[in-house]
Every structure is written in C-alpha cells, then in structure tokens.
C-alpha cells in the first residue's frame, strides 16, 4: 500500500503511543531514513522493530478503517469459496461474510480500486473491505485446502462402499481419487500445522491419526477401520514399497508439494497387533531458519561454537536425544562457514535438507556405503570440511578423529544426554584419550522446548518458582537492579531480572486451536564446552562427565537447564516446559 509521509508519521505515532515500539529505536530509525530515503514503515519492518501485524493494525486506525486479526478466526469453508482459491491467493483477499447485500472481504491493501471492481464483478455483488495482516491472510488461505473434514467424508464413503474390507482389492481401491484426496488432505494439514511426524495407528475397531507438533504428539482424528487397507496401500505405492508385504517393517520415501514448497517424506511401516502402523516424517526446509541465532543459541554457547568453527581443523560434536535438532544445528553451522573457497562434503542417513554448494552423500548400507566406508572415500576427495551425520561405532569415530588430525574440520553427532557426556562416550568407543583431547574443539548438548505463542499473558512467579529460579541461575543473574545493564549485555539473553527480586515476571501463552497449550514453534536449549588445556587434562585423565561439567561451569559454561530458565525469564518459553525436557539434567 502506497502511503504518503504524513500518513506514515501518523502510523508511527500510533505505534509509539500504544507502547508497540520503542521510542528510542524509532528516533534512530528516522535518522537512518533521513540518510537513506527509505519509507519509515519499511525500515521498521526490515529491522523487526515493529511486526507486520502491529503496522497493519495501526494503518487501519490511521485510515479510520476496521481491522480484523484473521489468525484467531476459524473459517466456514463455504464462505471461503465465495471467491475461488486461486483468485484469493493471487489477490491476497479473504471472503468473510455477506452483509446487507455486500460481500465483506479482508485485504492487505484497499487502495487498489481495479482489484476491488474485478472482485465485485466476479461475485456479482458490491465489496466492502476490512484490513488485516499478511500472517492473517496466510492463515485463512491455508484453510482452503487443509480441511480434515474431507478425510472423514471419504472414510464414511469408503465404509459405505465396503461392507467387508477385502485386502486383495487394496490396490484397486487406493487408485481411486477419494483415497488419494484423503491422504493429500492429511499431508496438507500436517505441513501447514508444521508437524514433524504423522502416526497412522490401527486399533481393533478404528484407525487413529496422530501428529507430532512442536515435539508433542496430538491425536488429530479417528477414522473407521475400513479405510485402513486402502490408506496404507496408497502410502506404500507412493513410497514404492511392497503392498502385499505385511509381515516385516519397510522403509521408503517420496515428496509432496504444499504451497509451492517441496517436502520430503520418510515412510516407515511396521506390523502391529491390529494391522500395520505407518510413521511419516516430514522434512520441510522452508519451515526451518537454518540460522543458529534464530534457533535459540546465544551468549556463551554461541561464542564457544563460533570460535570452534573458525578453526581450520578439529571436531565439533553435538549431542542430544532423537528429535532434539542435532542435524539442524550442524546444517546451521555449515551454512555459517559455507564459502566458494572451501570444499564441504557430508555423509548422511538420510540427507534431510539439500544445500547448494555442499556435496551431500546418502548412506546406502545395502550397496556397502556405510559411514565408515564413505568417510574413507571422501577423505580422498580433497575436503576442507566433513560432516558425518552420526558417529555410531568405534570405526567411524576413529576415522573422524583421524580426519580431524590430518587437517580437516569435522562435524558430527552422538547420542548422549549432555555435552560433557560426549568425551566418556568416545572413550567407550575405544578412542585414545590423548586423541580426543587433541582433536575436539567444541562439544554441544541440546534439547528443544516449545516457544510461548505471540498471544501471551504475564504473571508473577510463585514461591516455589522463585526458589527454583534462584537455585538454578542465581549465580548468573545481576545481584541488584544497578547491575542489570552490564550483566544482561554480557550474558546475551536480553534484560535479566536482579537476584534480589522477591518474585519474577514470567509469561504463558494463550491456548487456542492454532496454539495448543499456548505454544507455537520451538527453540533450542544449549550447553557448550570449549576444549581448552584444563578440559584436555581431564579427558586424558579419563574424568567423568560430572567432573568435566563442573570445571566447565567454573569457566563460565551455562548448562542446558540454566539456559532454559534464563529463556523462561526473558519470555521465550515457560518454566514448566523447561522442566518437561530438562528435569533430568543438572
């Protein structure tokens, strides 16, 4: 929307008066605008000083127009279809309702008279506009397709058509469009909900669909048992698996396109008591920032990692349970150092995200290409940086160490509970302690917590929560209010409350259908250990992980649990969520 300077200034005043932007930052922005000549609202957006939602709402107020937040709206599909999907997506308009012979639509820009005239001619009635934000429009447009009611309709139709399911006819059934449409709707819904996994689980009399969203499994729907054979067979056909093999587990893959984004799917089938379970993993690169800072790494952890990857050789190892984001961290680190002057080669199982400028190799055990054999091969390809998806055995660990010793920078992952647990794990794999000490640059431990949703409330901590905060991060907080600026800047977490507070301000999200439990998205909890002379001596002495972590903390390392509590104090997550994922950690 083209706005003159006077209108833009009025919008900025509304933002400042309502406390939606920092007045000091706005003043700096105006100084920058005076030099660059850019529109002030564009600069506020680009620097994330004000969100698009806030700017759009303030624009509506300045123009004396109504505004609606479409992110909170659940739509009736019949109303959405008043305007064809392709037209709505192209024009960024959302039909809302019919009132007094007019079609009410939400728009980003109501100044385009020609577009409004076209829509009016298309729907054969006058158009009345309400302003909204781009995020609201995207939420609404996603509901054109991601409607699981279609799946239920197909399931009921299938149940009516088949009074008795005949497994021998499964192939014929799966080629019918209703089943394909049902599967497409399930995959669309999962992709738009940012699910990482879909679980299709047979019970005695029904079929359960569960999706893992933000790390937590949620039941999405329950289908009649009669659709099971058709749906499972359709998935097997797309993944090129044997549809007549029900006795052993099978693995496959295929890709789907959702909103112009290609999403790779990894399929795993397994026989269970009541039929065949299917687990589908969604690998959507578009939904991952691949930016280590945006993923939640900050302060001391970020400093240690950046120092580790800046060295010309050595190992950077990350650890954590399955699904804790280890591979994504490695991809983010590779993105940091990727440059046309270095050769980066990866060995992965599977290749989760395809990156330009990186030579990625898929492990193929059946063909004899394992992590160990592949690592031997790629060391002859003149690599500068080598990423090994996972160190699973002593042979791979030994080769990774040898690669680091011969001048390569090596990235990999290990399954341990903490960063300090990496060193004893390598010893268990038979690696000599002096080799570990001389090759390790930085070790990383990580877990994932759910982020508090944008729509949130603040509250004051209870006595138990206050005691927990002081016990865990008391040594990291400013002693008094006067120390806050210096300590907060040093820690890198934003403004931290002083230790002498009687209670702490915490946040919790507002639970909605789009943000169950008040959470949306995830952030990492990290702990890092930079392997210096003192840590090397401990490794050579075969010290325990507890001893190593104690020395690292004395040198300023922040544990995952401390990282989580500091993130709760600065509004990223909640203490409850930190306890859920890190209660077993010190």
């Amino acid at each position: 929307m083209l706005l003159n300077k006077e209108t833009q200034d009025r919008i900025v005043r509304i933002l400042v008066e309502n406390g939606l932007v920092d007045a000091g930052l706005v003043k700096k922005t105006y100084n920058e605008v005076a030099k660059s000549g850019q529109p002030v609202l564009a600069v506020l957006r680009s620097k994330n000083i004000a969100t698009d939602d806030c700017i759009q709402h303030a624009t509506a107020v300045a123009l004396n127009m109504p505004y609606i937040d479409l992110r909170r709206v659940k739509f009736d599909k019949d109303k959405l279809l008043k305007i064809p999907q392709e037209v709505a997506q192209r024009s960024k308009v959302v039909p809302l309702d019919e009132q007094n012979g007019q079609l009410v639509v939400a728009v980003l820009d109501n100044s385009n008279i020609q577009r409004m005239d076209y829509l009016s001619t298309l729907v054969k009635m006058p158009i009345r506009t309400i302003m909204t934000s781009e995020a609201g429009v995207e939420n609404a447009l996603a509901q054109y397709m991601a409607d699981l009611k279609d799946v239920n309709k197909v399931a009921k139709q299938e149940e009516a058509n088949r009074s008795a399911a005949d497994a021998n006819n499964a192939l014929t059934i799966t080629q019918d469009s209703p089943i394909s449409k049902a599967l497409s709707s399930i995959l669309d819904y999962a992709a738009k909900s940012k699910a990482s996994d879909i679980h299709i689980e047979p019970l005695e009399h029904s079929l359960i669909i569960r999706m893992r969203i933000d790390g937590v499994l949620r039941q999405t729907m329950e289908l009649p048992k009669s659709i099971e054979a058709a749906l499972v067979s359709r998935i097997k056909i797309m993944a090129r698996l044997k549809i007549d093999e029900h006795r052993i587990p099978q693995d496959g893959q295929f890709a789907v396109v959702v909103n112009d984004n290609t999403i790779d799917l990894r399929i795993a089938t397994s026989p269970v008591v009541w039929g065949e379970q299917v687990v589908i993993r969604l690998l959507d690169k578009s939904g991952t920032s691949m930016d280590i800072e945006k993923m939640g790494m900050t302060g001391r952890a970020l400093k240690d990692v950046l120092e580790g990857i800046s060295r010309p050789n050595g190992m950077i190892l990350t650890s954590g349970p399955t699904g804790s984001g280890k591979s994504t961290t490695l991809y983010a680190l590779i993105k940091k150092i990727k440059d046309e002057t270095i050769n980066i080669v990866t060995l992965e199982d599977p290749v989760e995200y395809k990156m330009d400028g990186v030579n990625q190799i898929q492990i193929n055990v059946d063909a004899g290409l394992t992590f160990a054999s592949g690592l031997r091969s790629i060391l002859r390809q003149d690599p500068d940086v080598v990423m090994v998806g996972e160190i699973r055995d002593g042979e791979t660990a030994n080769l990774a160490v040898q690669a680091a010793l011969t001048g390569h920078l090596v990235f990999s992952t290990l399954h341990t509970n903490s960063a300090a647990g990496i060193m004893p794990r390598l010893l268990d794999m038979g690696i000599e302690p002096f080799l570990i000490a001389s090759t390790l640059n930085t070790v990383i431990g990580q877990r994932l917590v759910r982020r508090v949703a944008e729509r949130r409330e603040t509250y004051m901590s209870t006595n138990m929560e206050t005691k927990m905060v002081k016990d865990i991060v008391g040594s990291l907080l400013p002693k008094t209010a006067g120390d806050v600026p210096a300590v907060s800047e040093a820690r890198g977490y934003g403004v931290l409350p002083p230790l002498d507070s009687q209670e702490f301000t915490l946040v919790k999200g507002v639970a909605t259908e789009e943000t169950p439990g008040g959470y949306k998205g995830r952030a990492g909890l990290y702990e890092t250990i930079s392997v210096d002379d003192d840590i090397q001596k401990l490794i050579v002495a075969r010290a325990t992980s507890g001893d190593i972590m104690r020395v690292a903390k004395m040198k300023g390392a922040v544990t995952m649990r401390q990282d989580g509590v500091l993130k709760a104090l600065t509004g990223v997550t909640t203490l409850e969520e930190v306890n859920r994922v890190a209660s077993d950690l010190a």
Side-chain angles (χ1 to χ4, degrees):
M1 184 185 298
L2 295 175
L3 300 169
N4 60 35
K5 184 178 182 302
E6 183 182 350
T7 305
Q8 292 199 51
D9 290 343
R10 194 184 320 144
I11 293 167
V12 173
R13 281 198 301 274
I14 292 169
L15 291 170
V16 173
E17 288 167 3
N18 287 275
L20 299 173
V21 293
D22 182 88
L25 291 175
V26 168
K27 186 176 180 181
K28 289 181 181 177
T29 302
Y30 269 110
N31 292 336
E32 183 178 324
V33 165
K35 296 175 184 176
S36 67
Q38 290 181 284
V40 65
L41 295 182
V43 176
L44 291 177
R45 276 193 181 96
S46 66
K47 290 184 172 294
N48 293 321
I49 295 171
T51 66
D52 180 63
D53 298 299
C54 290
I55 290 174
Q56 284 290 99
H57 199 163
T59 302
V61 173
L63 298 176
N64 198 26
M65 284 190 62
Y67 179 87
I68 184 170
D69 186 349
L70 293 181
R71 295 171 303 164
R72 320 289 181 219
V73 178
K74 190 70 178 174
F75 293 90
D76 182 338
K77 202 165 185 181
D78 291 336
K79 290 178 181 176
L80 284 177
L81 293 175
K82 291 286 182 184
I83 294 176
Q85 181 186 356
E86 59 274 15
V87 175
Q89 287 179 325
R90 187 173 63 249
S91 303
K92 297 288 186 183
V93 298
V94 179
L96 300 175
D97 203 0
E98 287 183 42
Q99 294 178 358
N100 302 321
Q102 296 178 314
L103 180 64
V104 181
V105 299
V107 297
L108 298 179
D109 179 4
N110 71 331
S111 63
N112 193 327
I113 305 300
Q114 289 180 320
R115 181 181 296 161
M116 295 305 117
D117 287 344
Y118 166 72
L119 291 175
S120 180
T121 303
L122 182 68
V123 299
K124 297 182 174 60
M125 64 175 68
I127 296 289
R128 181 158 67 86
T129 58
I130 295 177
M131 284 193 68
T132 189
S133 68
E134 189 162 2
V137 169
E138 293 299 329
N139 171 65
L141 294 179
Q143 294 182 44
Y144 269 97
M145 289 296 293
D147 191 345
L148 292 180
K149 291 177 183 176
D150 290 344
V151 183
N152 279 313
K153 288 178 186 175
V154 171
K156 289 175 183 175
Q157 177 186 336
E158 195 66 39
E159 192 172 31
N161 291 344
R162 301 179 65 208
S163 56
D166 182 356
N168 293 329
N169 291 332
L171 180 55
T172 305
I173 293 164
T174 57
Q175 289 172 337
D176 292 341
S177 59
I179 289 297
S180 296
K181 186 175 181 182
L183 179 58
S184 294
S185 295
I186 291 170
L187 295 176
D188 265 1
Y189 186 87
K192 287 163 183 171
S193 301
K194 304 296 182 186
S196 60
D197 301 87
I198 304 169
H199 290 236
I200 301 173
E201 301 169 342
L203 303 180
E204 185 176 7
H205 302 296
S206 63
L207 188 68
I208 298 295
I209 309 291
R210 296 197 293 168
M211 297 186 186
R212 189 176 295 280
I213 301 172
D214 293 338
V216 178
L217 271 176
R218 303 170 189 155
Q219 183 170 321
T220 309
M221 61 193 312
E222 184 174 355
L223 300 174
K225 184 76 172 175
S226 59
I227 200 176
E228 179 192 339
L231 186 61
V232 172
S233 293
R234 180 60 187 160
I235 293 169
K236 283 184 173 182
I237 288 170
M238 295 182 75
R240 298 182 181 179
L241 303 178
K242 296 176 182 177
I243 64 168
D244 58 346
E245 179 57 80
H246 309 288
R247 299 166 299 170
I248 60 173
Q250 297 187 72
D251 295 319
Q253 63 185 62
F254 63 94
V256 294
V257 178
V258 178
N259 282 354
D260 298 326
N261 292 324
T262 300
I263 300 175
D264 291 328
L265 307 176
R266 301 285 184 263
I267 314 300
T269 69
S270 179
V272 292
V273 174
W274 300 115
E276 214 167 352
Q277 180 190 31
V278 180
V279 177
I280 303 173
R281 168 149 292 191
L282 293 85
L283 302 172
D284 181 6
K285 185 176 179 180
S286 67
T288 307
S289 70
M290 295 296 178
D291 187 318
I292 198 70
E293 289 92 342
K294 290 181 181 177
M295 287 158 55
M297 191 176 284
T298 188
R300 174 61 181 264
L302 182 61
K303 175 178 174 288
D304 286 346
V305 168
L306 293 180
E307 286 179 357
I309 65 176
S310 67
R311 297 179 191 174
N313 54 57
M315 290 199 299
I316 290 89
L317 300 182
T318 179
S319 67
T322 300
S324 59
K326 299 187 297 295
S327 296
T328 306
T329 296
L330 293 188
Y331 281 115
L333 296 182
I334 284 176
K335 184 182 174 185
K336 275 273 185 199
I337 64 171
K338 191 176 70 165
D339 184 270
E340 63 179 15
T341 63
I342 61 175
N343 179 25
I344 303 174
V345 185
T346 74
L347 275 171
E348 304 173 62
D349 185 23
V351 175
E352 295 190 13
Y353 302 109
K354 297 173 180 66
M355 297 183 74
D356 293 334
V358 177
N359 301 299
Q360 296 172 276
I361 300 172
Q362 168 74 53
I363 292 299
N364 187 341
V365 177
D366 293 338
L369 179 56
T370 63
F371 280 118
S373 65
L375 190 48
R376 282 195 190 91
S377 172
I378 64 177
L379 290 178
R380 294 191 289 270
Q381 297 175 20
D382 186 32
D384 297 290
V385 178
V386 176
M387 181 186 116
V388 182
E390 183 183 347
I391 293 178
R392 295 177 179 172
D393 53 50
E395 185 181 9
T396 308
N398 186 59
L399 287 166
V401 168
Q402 294 302 321
L405 281 171
T406 53
H408 303 90
L409 189 60
V410 179
F411 296 88
S412 193
T413 69
L414 272 173
H415 280 287
T416 65
N417 283 330
S418 64
I422 287 177
M423 281 74 93
R425 179 79 180 105
L426 290 173
L427 288 171
D428 288 342
M429 288 181 169
I431 308 301
E432 291 294 336
F434 72 89
L435 291 176
I436 300 172
S438 58
T439 55
L440 275 181
N441 292 352
T442 309
V443 291
I444 307 166
Q446 66 181 82
R447 304 277 175 96
L448 290 176
V449 291
R450 290 177 290 174
R451 288 181 183 269
V452 177
E454 189 176 324
R455 191 178 175 193
R456 55 180 60 189
E457 299 170 347
T458 59
Y459 70 98
M460 303 311 293
S461 60
T462 64
N463 290 338
M464 186 177 294
E465 288 172 331
T466 301
K467 183 178 184 304
M468 172 188 166
V469 169
K470 291 185 176 183
D471 287 348
I472 295 173
V473 297
S475 62
L476 303 176
L477 294 178
K479 301 302 179 192
T480 63
D483 298 329
V484 166
V487 174
S488 294
E489 185 176 348
R491 296 290 178 211
Y493 285 89
V495 179
L496 294 170
L499 179 61
D500 59 6
S501 303
Q502 297 303 307
E503 52 188 9
F504 299 101
T505 302
L506 301 171
V507 298
K508 59 182 177 180
V510 176
T512 68
E513 189 170 345
E514 288 74 32
T515 58
Y519 299 101
K520 190 170 183 66
R522 287 191 288 178
L525 302 186
Y526 299 95
E527 66 184 19
T528 60
I529 300 175
S530 184
V531 181
D532 59 11
D533 291 343
D534 293 329
I535 300 296
Q536 285 179 344
K537 289 175 185 175
L538 290 174
I539 296 171
V540 171
R542 296 179 179 266
T544 65
S545 57
D547 291 336
I548 292 170
M549 196 67 224
R550 270 192 293 276
V551 172
K553 286 175 70 174
M554 288 170 56
K555 290 174 168 290
V558 176
T559 69
M560 276 185 275
R561 200 166 187 210
Q562 288 176 325
D563 187 35
V565 172
L566 291 173
K567 284 185 166 83
L569 290 174
T570 50
V572 176
T573 188
T574 64
L575 290 177
E576 180 184 18
E577 183 67 3
V578 173
N579 285 333
R580 181 181 72 85
V581 303
S583 59
D584 61 322
L585 301 172

